[in-house]
Amino acid sequence: MSNERLDQLRDELDQVNLEILNLINKRAELVTETAQAKENQGADKKYDPVRERDMLELIKKHNSGPFQDATIIHLFKEIFKAGLELQEKDYSKELLV
Amino acid sequence: MSNERLDQLRDELDQVNLEILNLINKRAELVTETAQAKENQGADKKYDPVRERDMLELIKKHNSGPFQDATIIHLFKEIFKAGLELQEKDYSKELLV
Protein backbone atom coordinates (compact mmCIF):
# COMPACT_ATOMS: atom_id res chain seq x y z
CA MET A 1 0.00 0.00 0.00
CA SER A 2 1.38 3.40 -1.01
CA ASN A 3 1.99 6.45 1.13
CA GLU A 4 -0.71 8.09 -0.96
CA ARG A 5 -3.27 5.56 0.28
CA LEU A 6 -2.14 6.15 3.87
CA ASP A 7 -2.60 9.92 3.42
CA GLN A 8 -6.04 9.29 1.96
CA LEU A 9 -7.02 7.12 4.94
CA ARG A 10 -5.83 9.82 7.33
CA ASP A 11 -7.89 12.45 5.50
CA GLU A 12 -10.94 10.20 5.75
CA LEU A 13 -10.26 9.69 9.46
CA ASP A 14 -10.05 13.46 10.01
CA GLN A 15 -13.32 13.88 8.13
CA VAL A 16 -15.07 11.23 10.25
CA ASN A 17 -13.67 12.83 13.43
CA LEU A 18 -15.24 16.18 12.46
CA GLU A 19 -18.57 14.51 11.62
CA ILE A 20 -18.55 12.84 15.06
CA LEU A 21 -17.70 16.23 16.64
CA ASN A 22 -20.67 17.89 14.94
CA LEU A 23 -23.06 15.13 15.95
CA ILE A 24 -21.86 15.12 19.58
CA ASN A 25 -22.47 18.88 19.75
CA LYS A 26 -25.83 18.54 17.97
CA ARG A 27 -26.71 15.88 20.56
CA ALA A 28 -25.80 18.29 23.38
CA GLU A 29 -28.18 20.89 21.94
CA LEU A 30 -31.00 18.33 21.75
CA VAL A 31 -30.32 17.24 25.34
CA THR A 32 -30.49 20.88 26.49
CA GLU A 33 -33.77 21.42 24.63
CA THR A 34 -35.21 18.17 26.04
CA ALA A 35 -34.25 19.18 29.59
CA GLN A 36 -35.96 22.55 29.11
CA ALA A 37 -39.08 20.84 27.73
CA LYS A 38 -39.21 18.54 30.76
CA GLU A 39 -38.72 21.46 33.13
CA ASN A 40 -41.58 23.35 31.44
CA GLN A 41 -43.78 20.35 32.14
CA GLY A 42 -42.88 20.50 35.83
CA ALA A 43 -40.50 17.54 35.71
CA ASP A 44 -37.24 18.82 37.15
CA LYS A 45 -35.52 15.43 36.97
CA LYS A 46 -32.70 15.74 34.46
CA TYR A 47 -31.42 12.17 34.77
CA ASP A 48 -33.85 9.49 33.62
CA PRO A 49 -32.38 5.97 34.05
CA VAL A 50 -35.27 4.31 32.17
CA ARG A 51 -34.82 6.57 29.15
CA GLU A 52 -31.03 5.99 29.29
CA ARG A 53 -31.55 2.21 29.34
CA ASP A 54 -33.94 2.46 26.36
CA MET A 55 -31.46 4.56 24.38
CA LEU A 56 -28.67 2.06 25.08
CA GLU A 57 -30.90 -0.88 24.08
CA LEU A 58 -31.69 0.79 20.74
CA ILE A 59 -28.00 1.52 20.17
CA LYS A 60 -27.01 -2.10 20.96
CA LYS A 61 -29.74 -3.38 18.64
CA HIS A 62 -28.24 -1.37 15.76
CA ASN A 63 -24.59 -2.10 16.49
CA SER A 64 -23.10 -4.05 13.59
CA GLY A 65 -19.46 -3.67 14.73
CA PRO A 66 -16.50 -3.80 14.50
CA PHE A 67 -16.78 -2.41 18.03
CA GLN A 68 -18.33 -4.83 20.50
CA ASP A 69 -21.47 -3.81 22.39
CA ALA A 70 -19.52 -3.32 25.64
CA THR A 71 -17.19 -0.77 23.99
CA ILE A 72 -20.07 1.08 22.34
CA ILE A 73 -21.99 1.21 25.63
CA HIS A 74 -18.93 2.55 27.44
CA LEU A 75 -18.45 5.31 24.84
CA PHE A 76 -22.13 6.31 24.89
CA LYS A 77 -22.22 6.40 28.69
CA GLU A 78 -19.34 8.91 28.53
CA ILE A 79 -21.29 10.96 25.95
CA PHE A 80 -24.46 10.81 28.11
CA LYS A 81 -22.48 11.87 31.20
CA ALA A 82 -21.03 14.87 29.36
CA GLY A 83 -24.56 15.87 28.33
CA LEU A 84 -25.79 15.69 31.92
CA GLU A 85 -22.82 17.72 33.17
CA LEU A 86 -23.66 20.39 30.62
CA GLN A 87 -27.17 20.66 32.10
CA GLU A 88 -25.78 20.90 35.63
CA LYS A 89 -23.53 23.76 34.55
CA ASP A 90 -26.45 25.57 32.92
CA TYR A 91 -28.46 25.10 36.10
CA SER A 92 -25.61 26.50 38.22
CA LYS A 93 -25.48 29.52 35.96
CA GLU A 94 -29.19 30.11 36.49
CA LEU A 95 -28.70 29.98 40.24
CA LEU A 96 -26.05 32.70 40.05
CA VAL A 97 -28.34 35.14 38.20
CA MET B 1 -44.16 22.80 25.32
CA SER B 2 -46.32 19.78 24.53
CA ASN B 3 -45.67 16.09 25.14
CA GLU B 4 -45.65 15.79 21.37
CA ARG B 5 -42.64 18.09 21.15
CA LEU B 6 -40.87 16.07 23.85
CA ASP B 7 -41.50 12.85 21.91
CA GLN B 8 -40.18 14.53 18.77
CA LEU B 9 -37.00 15.62 20.57
CA ARG B 10 -36.49 12.08 21.88
CA ASP B 11 -36.88 10.66 18.36
CA GLU B 12 -34.30 13.14 17.09
CA LEU B 13 -31.97 12.17 19.94
CA ASP B 14 -32.32 8.46 19.07
CA GLN B 15 -31.57 9.30 15.44
CA VAL B 16 -28.44 11.26 16.36
CA ASN B 17 -27.32 8.42 18.67
CA LEU B 18 -27.52 5.96 15.76
CA GLU B 19 -25.64 8.34 13.45
CA ILE B 20 -22.88 8.64 16.08
CA LEU B 21 -22.86 4.82 16.41
CA ASN B 22 -22.38 4.37 12.67
CA LEU B 23 -19.59 6.95 12.51
CA ILE B 24 -17.76 5.47 15.52
CA ASN B 25 -17.84 2.05 13.83
CA LYS B 26 -16.83 3.55 10.47
CA ARG B 27 -13.92 5.20 12.29
CA ALA B 28 -12.89 1.83 13.76
CA GLU B 29 -12.78 0.35 10.24
CA LEU B 30 -10.61 3.23 9.00
CA VAL B 31 -8.27 2.84 12.00
CA THR B 32 -7.93 -0.89 11.25
CA GLU B 33 -7.19 -0.20 7.58
CA THR B 34 -4.67 2.51 8.53
CA ALA B 35 -2.88 0.16 10.95
CA GLN B 36 -2.67 -2.48 8.22
CA ALA B 37 -1.31 0.08 5.76
CA LYS B 38 1.37 1.12 8.25
CA GLU B 39 2.28 -2.49 8.95
CA ASN B 40 2.64 -3.16 5.23
CA GLN B 41 5.13 -0.30 5.10
CA GLY B 42 7.19 -1.90 7.85
CA ALA B 43 5.99 0.45 10.58
CA ASP B 44 4.61 -1.78 13.32
CA LYS B 45 3.90 1.11 15.69
CA LYS B 46 0.14 1.29 16.17
CA TYR B 47 0.09 4.25 18.54
CA ASP B 48 1.34 7.52 17.07
CA PRO B 49 1.26 10.37 19.64
CA VAL B 50 2.10 13.04 17.05
CA ARG B 51 -0.76 11.99 14.80
CA GLU B 52 -3.10 11.85 17.84
CA ARG B 53 -2.10 15.39 18.83
CA ASP B 54 -2.68 16.62 15.27
CA MET B 55 -6.13 14.99 15.16
CA LEU B 56 -7.07 16.59 18.50
CA GLU B 57 -5.83 20.02 17.33
CA LEU B 58 -7.99 19.82 14.21
CA ILE B 59 -11.00 18.74 16.29
CA LYS B 60 -10.49 21.63 18.77
CA LYS B 61 -10.14 24.08 15.89
CA HIS B 62 -13.58 23.03 14.58
CA ASN B 63 -15.35 22.85 17.93
CA SER B 64 -18.13 25.42 18.00
CA GLY B 65 -19.79 24.05 21.19
CA PRO B 66 -21.92 23.80 23.23
CA PHE B 67 -19.39 21.29 24.59
CA GLN B 68 -16.16 22.86 25.79
CA ASP B 69 -12.86 21.76 24.24
CA ALA B 70 -11.89 19.83 27.39
CA THR B 71 -15.06 17.71 27.21
CA ILE B 72 -14.64 17.07 23.49
CA ILE B 73 -10.99 16.08 23.97
CA HIS B 74 -11.95 13.70 26.78
CA LEU B 75 -14.61 12.02 24.61
CA PHE B 76 -12.29 11.69 21.61
CA LYS B 77 -9.48 10.25 23.73
CA GLU B 78 -11.94 7.54 24.83
CA ILE B 79 -12.83 6.90 21.17
CA PHE B 80 -9.13 6.78 20.18
CA LYS B 81 -8.38 4.37 23.06
CA ALA B 82 -11.18 2.05 21.95
CA GLY B 83 -9.74 2.08 18.41
CA LEU B 84 -6.28 1.15 19.70
CA GLU B 85 -7.70 -1.64 21.86
CA LEU B 86 -9.44 -3.05 18.80
CA GLN B 87 -6.06 -3.24 17.01
CA GLU B 88 -4.48 -4.97 20.00
CA LYS B 89 -7.23 -7.59 19.97
CA ASP B 90 -6.77 -8.15 16.24
CA TYR B 91 -3.05 -8.54 16.82
CA SER B 92 -3.66 -11.08 19.61
CA LYS B 93 -5.89 -13.03 17.26
CA GLU B 94 -3.12 -13.11 14.65
CA LEU B 95 -0.70 -14.47 17.24
CA LEU B 96 -3.06 -17.33 18.04
CA VAL B 97 -3.29 -18.49 14.42
Side-chain angles (χ1 to χ4, degrees):
Chain A
M1 200 176 285
S2 65
N3 256 327
E4 206 178 314
R5 177 72 187 127
L6 198 53
D7 287 344
Q8 194 189 359
L9 282 166
R10 284 175 168 158
D11 285 347
E12 284 179 46
L13 209 49
D14 280 333
Q15 195 51 48
V16 170
N17 285 342
L18 297 183
E19 286 175 40
I20 293 172
L21 168 70
N22 286 338
L23 282 170
I24 286 176
N25 275 322
K26 185 178 169 187
R27 193 186 185 284
E29 285 168 10
L30 284 170
V31 166
T32 302
E33 211 181 327
T34 306
Q36 284 166 350
K38 282 165 74 181
E39 212 169 302
N40 289 348
Q41 292 187 344
D44 62 353
K45 202 177 55 173
K46 300 276 201 297
Y47 176 64
D48 182 346
V50 176
R51 170 70 180 139
E52 179 170 310
R53 192 198 58 201
D54 290 349
M55 284 194 291
L56 290 174
E57 281 304 316
L58 189 72
I59 290 163
K60 271 201 279 184
K61 201 176 136 193
H62 283 82
N63 181 31
S64 55
F67 278 134
Q68 292 186 343
D69 285 355
T71 307
I72 290 294
I73 296 308
H74 166 71
L75 293 175
F76 270 93
K77 280 190 173 175
E78 289 293 317
I79 294 170
F80 292 173
K81 202 168 72 179
L84 284 169
E85 282 167 3
L86 195 70
Q87 304 317 308
E88 282 164 19
K89 276 183 203 154
D90 280 358
Y91 187 61
S92 312
K93 259 188 273 171
E94 279 170 30
L95 287 178
L96 290 171
V97 174
Chain B
M1 200 177 283
S2 65
N3 257 326
E4 207 178 314
R5 178 70 186 128
L6 198 52
D7 287 344
Q8 194 188 0
L9 282 167
R10 284 176 168 159
D11 285 347
E12 283 179 47
L13 208 50
D14 279 333
Q15 194 52 49
V16 170
N17 285 342
L18 297 183
E19 286 175 40
I20 294 172
L21 169 69
N22 286 338
L23 282 170
I24 285 176
N25 275 322
K26 186 179 167 184
R27 193 187 184 283
E29 286 169 10
L30 284 170
V31 166
T32 302
E33 211 182 328
T34 306
Q36 284 166 350
K38 282 165 74 181
E39 212 170 301
N40 289 348
Q41 290 187 346
D44 62 354
K45 204 176 53 175
K46 301 277 201 293
Y47 176 63
D48 182 345
V50 176
R51 170 72 180 138
E52 179 170 309
R53 193 199 57 202
D54 289 348
M55 284 194 291
L56 290 174
E57 282 304 316
L58 188 72
I59 290 163
K60 271 201 280 185
K61 200 176 136 193
H62 284 82
N63 181 32
S64 54
F67 278 133
Q68 291 185 343
D69 285 355
T71 307
I72 290 294
I73 296 308
H74 166 71
L75 293 175
F76 270 94
K77 280 191 174 174
E78 289 293 318
I79 295 170
F80 292 173
K81 201 168 72 179
L84 283 169
E85 282 167 2
L86 195 70
Q87 305 317 309
E88 282 163 19
K89 275 183 202 154
D90 280 358
Y91 187 60
S92 311
K93 258 188 272 170
E94 277 170 31
L95 286 178
L96 290 171
V97 173

PDB file of all heavy atoms in Angstrom, chain B residues 2 7 9 12-14 29-30 32 44 65 74 79-81 85 89 96-97:
ATOM      1  N   SER B   2     -45.439  20.949  24.441  1.00  0.00           N
ATOM      2  CA  SER B   2     -46.321  19.778  24.533  1.00  0.00           C
ATOM      3  C   SER B   2     -45.529  18.479  24.677  1.00  0.00           C
ATOM      4  O   SER B   2     -44.336  18.418  24.403  1.00  0.00           O
ATOM      5  CB  SER B   2     -47.171  19.698  23.279  1.00  0.00           C
ATOM      6  OG  SER B   2     -46.332  19.463  22.166  1.00  0.00           O
ATOM      7  N   ASP B   7     -41.652  14.113  22.655  1.00  0.00           N
ATOM      8  CA  ASP B   7     -41.499  12.852  21.906  1.00  0.00           C
ATOM      9  C   ASP B   7     -40.662  13.064  20.648  1.00  0.00           C
ATOM     10  O   ASP B   7     -39.820  12.239  20.302  1.00  0.00           O
ATOM     11  CB  ASP B   7     -42.882  12.289  21.506  1.00  0.00           C
ATOM     12  CG  ASP B   7     -43.620  11.717  22.695  1.00  0.00           C
ATOM     13  OD1 ASP B   7     -42.975  11.479  23.741  1.00  0.00           O
ATOM     14  OD2 ASP B   7     -44.843  11.523  22.592  1.00  0.00           O
ATOM     15  N   LEU B   9     -38.397  15.410  20.171  1.00  0.00           N
ATOM     16  CA  LEU B   9     -37.002  15.624  20.573  1.00  0.00           C
ATOM     17  C   LEU B   9     -36.319  14.289  20.887  1.00  0.00           C
ATOM     18  O   LEU B   9     -35.152  14.074  20.540  1.00  0.00           O
ATOM     19  CB  LEU B   9     -36.934  16.542  21.801  1.00  0.00           C
ATOM     20  CG  LEU B   9     -37.127  18.031  21.552  1.00  0.00           C
ATOM     21  CD1 LEU B   9     -37.362  18.773  22.863  1.00  0.00           C
ATOM     22  CD2 LEU B   9     -35.904  18.627  20.845  1.00  0.00           C
ATOM     23  N   GLU B  12     -35.491  12.529  17.710  1.00  0.00           N
ATOM     24  CA  GLU B  12     -34.303  13.141  17.089  1.00  0.00           C
ATOM     25  C   GLU B  12     -33.028  12.694  17.801  1.00  0.00           C
ATOM     26  O   GLU B  12     -32.012  12.412  17.172  1.00  0.00           O
ATOM     27  CB  GLU B  12     -34.397  14.676  17.151  1.00  0.00           C
ATOM     28  CG  GLU B  12     -35.338  15.267  16.116  1.00  0.00           C
ATOM     29  CD  GLU B  12     -35.424  16.789  16.208  1.00  0.00           C
ATOM     30  OE1 GLU B  12     -34.396  17.458  16.298  1.00  0.00           O
ATOM     31  OE2 GLU B  12     -36.564  17.310  16.220  1.00  0.00           O
ATOM     32  N   LEU B  13     -33.114  12.595  19.139  1.00  0.00           N
ATOM     33  CA  LEU B  13     -31.968  12.170  19.939  1.00  0.00           C
ATOM     34  C   LEU B  13     -31.589  10.724  19.590  1.00  0.00           C
ATOM     35  O   LEU B  13     -30.397  10.412  19.416  1.00  0.00           O
ATOM     36  CB  LEU B  13     -32.330  12.296  21.422  1.00  0.00           C
ATOM     37  CG  LEU B  13     -31.220  12.547  22.429  1.00  0.00           C
ATOM     38  CD1 LEU B  13     -30.328  13.701  22.030  1.00  0.00           C
ATOM     39  CD2 LEU B  13     -31.829  12.834  23.807  1.00  0.00           C
ATOM     40  N   ASP B  14     -32.589   9.851  19.459  1.00  0.00           N
ATOM     41  CA  ASP B  14     -32.320   8.457  19.074  1.00  0.00           C
ATOM     42  C   ASP B  14     -31.655   8.409  17.704  1.00  0.00           C
ATOM     43  O   ASP B  14     -30.739   7.618  17.475  1.00  0.00           O
ATOM     44  CB  ASP B  14     -33.634   7.649  19.050  1.00  0.00           C
ATOM     45  CG  ASP B  14     -34.057   7.204  20.443  1.00  0.00           C
ATOM     46  OD1 ASP B  14     -33.172   7.041  21.314  1.00  0.00           O
ATOM     47  OD2 ASP B  14     -35.265   7.017  20.664  1.00  0.00           O
ATOM     48  N   GLU B  29     -13.206   1.020  11.481  1.00  0.00           N
ATOM     49  CA  GLU B  29     -12.781   0.349  10.243  1.00  0.00           C
ATOM     50  C   GLU B  29     -11.611   1.086   9.593  1.00  0.00           C
ATOM     51  O   GLU B  29     -10.659   0.475   9.124  1.00  0.00           O
ATOM     52  CB  GLU B  29     -13.956   0.252   9.262  1.00  0.00           C
ATOM     53  CG  GLU B  29     -14.966  -0.803   9.680  1.00  0.00           C
ATOM     54  CD  GLU B  29     -16.263  -0.728   8.888  1.00  0.00           C
ATOM     55  OE1 GLU B  29     -16.314   0.016   7.893  1.00  0.00           O
ATOM     56  OE2 GLU B  29     -17.239  -1.396   9.285  1.00  0.00           O
ATOM     57  N   LEU B  30     -11.697   2.415   9.584  1.00  0.00           N
ATOM     58  CA  LEU B  30     -10.615   3.227   9.002  1.00  0.00           C
ATOM     59  C   LEU B  30      -9.317   3.065   9.799  1.00  0.00           C
ATOM     60  O   LEU B  30      -8.232   2.997   9.229  1.00  0.00           O
ATOM     61  CB  LEU B  30     -11.014   4.710   8.959  1.00  0.00           C
ATOM     62  CG  LEU B  30     -12.006   5.115   7.869  1.00  0.00           C
ATOM     63  CD1 LEU B  30     -12.500   6.542   8.104  1.00  0.00           C
ATOM     64  CD2 LEU B  30     -11.368   5.009   6.476  1.00  0.00           C
ATOM     65  N   THR B  32      -8.440   0.452  11.544  1.00  0.00           N
ATOM     66  CA  THR B  32      -7.930  -0.892  11.245  1.00  0.00           C
ATOM     67  C   THR B  32      -7.190  -0.896   9.909  1.00  0.00           C
ATOM     68  O   THR B  32      -6.086  -1.437   9.792  1.00  0.00           O
ATOM     69  CB  THR B  32      -9.096  -1.910  11.198  1.00  0.00           C
ATOM     70  OG1 THR B  32      -9.772  -1.872  12.457  1.00  0.00           O
ATOM     71  CG2 THR B  32      -8.604  -3.321  10.946  1.00  0.00           C
ATOM     72  N   ASP B  44       5.511  -0.949  12.507  1.00  0.00           N
ATOM     73  CA  ASP B  44       4.609  -1.782  13.317  1.00  0.00           C
ATOM     74  C   ASP B  44       4.011  -1.004  14.487  1.00  0.00           C
ATOM     75  O   ASP B  44       3.276  -1.538  15.286  1.00  0.00           O
ATOM     76  CB  ASP B  44       5.323  -3.034  13.823  1.00  0.00           C
ATOM     77  CG  ASP B  44       6.486  -2.711  14.719  1.00  0.00           C
ATOM     78  OD1 ASP B  44       6.819  -1.504  14.862  1.00  0.00           O
ATOM     79  OD2 ASP B  44       7.071  -3.633  15.289  1.00  0.00           O
ATOM     80  N   GLY B  65     -18.953  24.229  20.006  1.00  0.00           N
ATOM     81  CA  GLY B  65     -19.793  24.049  21.187  1.00  0.00           C
ATOM     82  C   GLY B  65     -21.151  23.467  20.865  1.00  0.00           C
ATOM     83  O   GLY B  65     -21.424  23.150  19.702  1.00  0.00           O
ATOM     84  N   HIS B  74     -11.762  14.888  25.940  1.00  0.00           N
ATOM     85  CA  HIS B  74     -11.952  13.698  26.777  1.00  0.00           C
ATOM     86  C   HIS B  74     -12.703  12.612  26.002  1.00  0.00           C
ATOM     87  O   HIS B  74     -12.283  11.440  25.994  1.00  0.00           O
ATOM     88  CB  HIS B  74     -12.721  14.066  28.056  1.00  0.00           C
ATOM     89  CG  HIS B  74     -13.242  12.868  28.794  1.00  0.00           C
ATOM     90  ND1 HIS B  74     -12.408  11.998  29.478  1.00  0.00           N
ATOM     91  CD2 HIS B  74     -14.496  12.345  28.926  1.00  0.00           C
ATOM     92  CE1 HIS B  74     -13.131  11.015  30.003  1.00  0.00           C
ATOM     93  NE2 HIS B  74     -14.390  11.204  29.687  1.00  0.00           N
ATOM     94  N   ILE B  79     -12.594   7.520  22.487  1.00  0.00           N
ATOM     95  CA  ILE B  79     -12.832   6.903  21.171  1.00  0.00           C
ATOM     96  C   ILE B  79     -11.513   6.384  20.579  1.00  0.00           C
ATOM     97  O   ILE B  79     -11.442   5.270  20.051  1.00  0.00           O
ATOM     98  CB  ILE B  79     -13.531   7.900  20.214  1.00  0.00           C
ATOM     99  CG1 ILE B  79     -14.943   8.237  20.726  1.00  0.00           C
ATOM    100  CG2 ILE B  79     -13.600   7.346  18.791  1.00  0.00           C
ATOM    101  CD1 ILE B  79     -15.639   9.389  19.994  1.00  0.00           C
ATOM    102  N   PHE B  80     -10.451   7.189  20.694  1.00  0.00           N
ATOM    103  CA  PHE B  80      -9.130   6.777  20.183  1.00  0.00           C
ATOM    104  C   PHE B  80      -8.665   5.506  20.905  1.00  0.00           C
ATOM    105  O   PHE B  80      -8.136   4.581  20.288  1.00  0.00           O
ATOM    106  CB  PHE B  80      -8.076   7.870  20.411  1.00  0.00           C
ATOM    107  CG  PHE B  80      -8.282   9.132  19.603  1.00  0.00           C
ATOM    108  CD1 PHE B  80      -7.470  10.255  19.824  1.00  0.00           C
ATOM    109  CD2 PHE B  80      -9.253   9.227  18.622  1.00  0.00           C
ATOM    110  CE1 PHE B  80      -7.641  11.418  19.091  1.00  0.00           C
ATOM    111  CE2 PHE B  80      -9.436  10.398  17.880  1.00  0.00           C
ATOM    112  CZ  PHE B  80      -8.616  11.498  18.119  1.00  0.00           C
ATOM    113  N   LYS B  81      -8.840   5.505  22.240  1.00  0.00           N
ATOM    114  CA  LYS B  81      -8.385   4.372  23.057  1.00  0.00           C
ATOM    115  C   LYS B  81      -9.107   3.095  22.622  1.00  0.00           C
ATOM    116  O   LYS B  81      -8.487   2.043  22.490  1.00  0.00           O
ATOM    117  CB  LYS B  81      -8.657   4.675  24.540  1.00  0.00           C
ATOM    118  CG  LYS B  81      -7.826   3.859  25.505  1.00  0.00           C
ATOM    119  CD  LYS B  81      -7.921   4.387  26.927  1.00  0.00           C
ATOM    120  CE  LYS B  81      -9.275   4.099  27.527  1.00  0.00           C
ATOM    121  NZ  LYS B  81      -9.415   4.558  28.919  1.00  0.00           N
ATOM    122  N   GLU B  85      -7.429  -0.345  21.230  1.00  0.00           N
ATOM    123  CA  GLU B  85      -7.698  -1.643  21.864  1.00  0.00           C
ATOM    124  C   GLU B  85      -8.190  -2.667  20.838  1.00  0.00           C
ATOM    125  O   GLU B  85      -7.865  -3.850  20.926  1.00  0.00           O
ATOM    126  CB  GLU B  85      -8.729  -1.478  22.991  1.00  0.00           C
ATOM    127  CG  GLU B  85      -8.095  -0.898  24.254  1.00  0.00           C
ATOM    128  CD  GLU B  85      -9.108  -0.433  25.293  1.00  0.00           C
ATOM    129  OE1 GLU B  85     -10.328  -0.599  25.058  1.00  0.00           O
ATOM    130  OE2 GLU B  85      -8.670   0.089  26.324  1.00  0.00           O
ATOM    131  N   LYS B  89      -6.496  -6.322  19.997  1.00  0.00           N
ATOM    132  CA  LYS B  89      -7.231  -7.589  19.974  1.00  0.00           C
ATOM    133  C   LYS B  89      -7.000  -8.314  18.655  1.00  0.00           C
ATOM    134  O   LYS B  89      -6.804  -9.512  18.634  1.00  0.00           O
ATOM    135  CB  LYS B  89      -8.737  -7.324  20.174  1.00  0.00           C
ATOM    136  CG  LYS B  89      -9.088  -7.222  21.643  1.00  0.00           C
ATOM    137  CD  LYS B  89     -10.581  -7.038  21.821  1.00  0.00           C
ATOM    138  CE  LYS B  89     -10.862  -6.417  23.174  1.00  0.00           C
ATOM    139  NZ  LYS B  89     -12.102  -5.683  23.217  1.00  0.00           N
ATOM    140  N   LEU B  96      -2.494 -16.027  17.685  1.00  0.00           N
ATOM    141  CA  LEU B  96      -3.062 -17.334  18.044  1.00  0.00           C
ATOM    142  C   LEU B  96      -3.199 -18.251  16.835  1.00  0.00           C
ATOM    143  O   LEU B  96      -3.396 -19.449  16.975  1.00  0.00           O
ATOM    144  CB  LEU B  96      -4.438 -17.149  18.715  1.00  0.00           C
ATOM    145  CG  LEU B  96      -4.414 -16.534  20.116  1.00  0.00           C
ATOM    146  CD1 LEU B  96      -5.815 -16.202  20.573  1.00  0.00           C
ATOM    147  CD2 LEU B  96      -3.754 -17.488  21.103  1.00  0.00           C
ATOM    148  N   VAL B  97      -3.095 -17.682  15.632  1.00  0.00           N
ATOM    149  CA  VAL B  97      -3.294 -18.491  14.415  1.00  0.00           C
ATOM    150  C   VAL B  97      -2.079 -19.393  14.182  1.00  0.00           C
ATOM    151  O   VAL B  97      -0.956 -18.951  14.333  1.00  0.00           O
ATOM    152  CB  VAL B  97      -3.539 -17.576  13.185  1.00  0.00           C
ATOM    153  CG1 VAL B  97      -3.574 -18.395  11.899  1.00  0.00           C
ATOM    154  CG2 VAL B  97      -4.842 -16.813  13.359  1.00  0.00           C
TER     155      VAL B  97
END
